[in-house]
């Protein structure tokens, strides 16, 4: 199993709107177009938050091929939506981890 983790640093001024958008729009979109499941939003602790909180949004992918399909077929468009919606007020990057 693969865990896809997207780390976000969000400005305080948009934090509540971003969080609602993640729950109501982004996560449902991810679940509808991918084989991902078990989404969760986590806030990193013990990290400097003067500019805003840092959060991780995680999804489980059933296989490397499902994750690769996401990267090839869906990631560019979803990343574009994130950039268009939030601009430089949200910085993000994704990582994949394998459960061993």
């Amino acid at each position: 199993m693969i865990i896809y983790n997207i780390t976000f640093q969000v400005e305080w001024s948009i934090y509540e709107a971003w969080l609602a958008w993640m729950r109501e729009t982004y996560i449902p979109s991810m679940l509808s177009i991918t084989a991902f499941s078990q989404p969760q939003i986590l806030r990193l602790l013990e990290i400097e938050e003067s500019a805003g909180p840092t959060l991780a949004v995680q999804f489980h992918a059933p296989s490397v091929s499902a994750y690769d399909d996401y990267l090839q077929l869906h990631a560019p468009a979803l990343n574009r939506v994130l950039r268009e919606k939030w601009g430089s007020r949200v910085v993000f990057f994704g990582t994949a981890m394998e459960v061993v």
Side-chain angles (χ1 to χ4, degrees), residues 1 16 31 35 40-42 52-53 63 71 73 86-87 95:
M1 177 189 310
E16 293 298 328
L31 296 175
Q40 58 182 355
I41 301 173
L42 306 116
S63 65
L71 288 179
L73 302 173
W86 303 107
T95 52

Side-chain angles (χ1 to χ4, degrees), residues 19-87:
L19 190 58
W21 183 80
M22 289 302 284
R23 290 180 175 146
E24 297 166 8
T25 304
Y26 185 81
I27 289 173
S29 293
M30 285 284 285
L31 296 175
S32 72
I33 62 172
T34 67
F36 294 169
S37 64
Q38 299 179 344
Q40 58 182 355
I41 301 173
L42 306 116
R43 185 167 167 184
L44 279 66
L45 302 176
E46 300 178 354
I47 191 165
E48 168 59 40
E49 290 191 328
S50 61
T54 300
L55 299 104
V57 178
Q58 295 183 340
F59 299 89
H60 289 207
S63 65
V64 172
S65 64
Y67 173 70
D68 287 342
D69 286 348
Y70 161 75
L71 288 179
Q72 295 299 315
L73 302 173
H74 306 293
L78 287 170
N79 289 344
R80 187 172 44 256
V81 167
L82 278 164
R83 286 186 194 97
E84 288 172 0
K85 175 78 176 162
W86 303 107

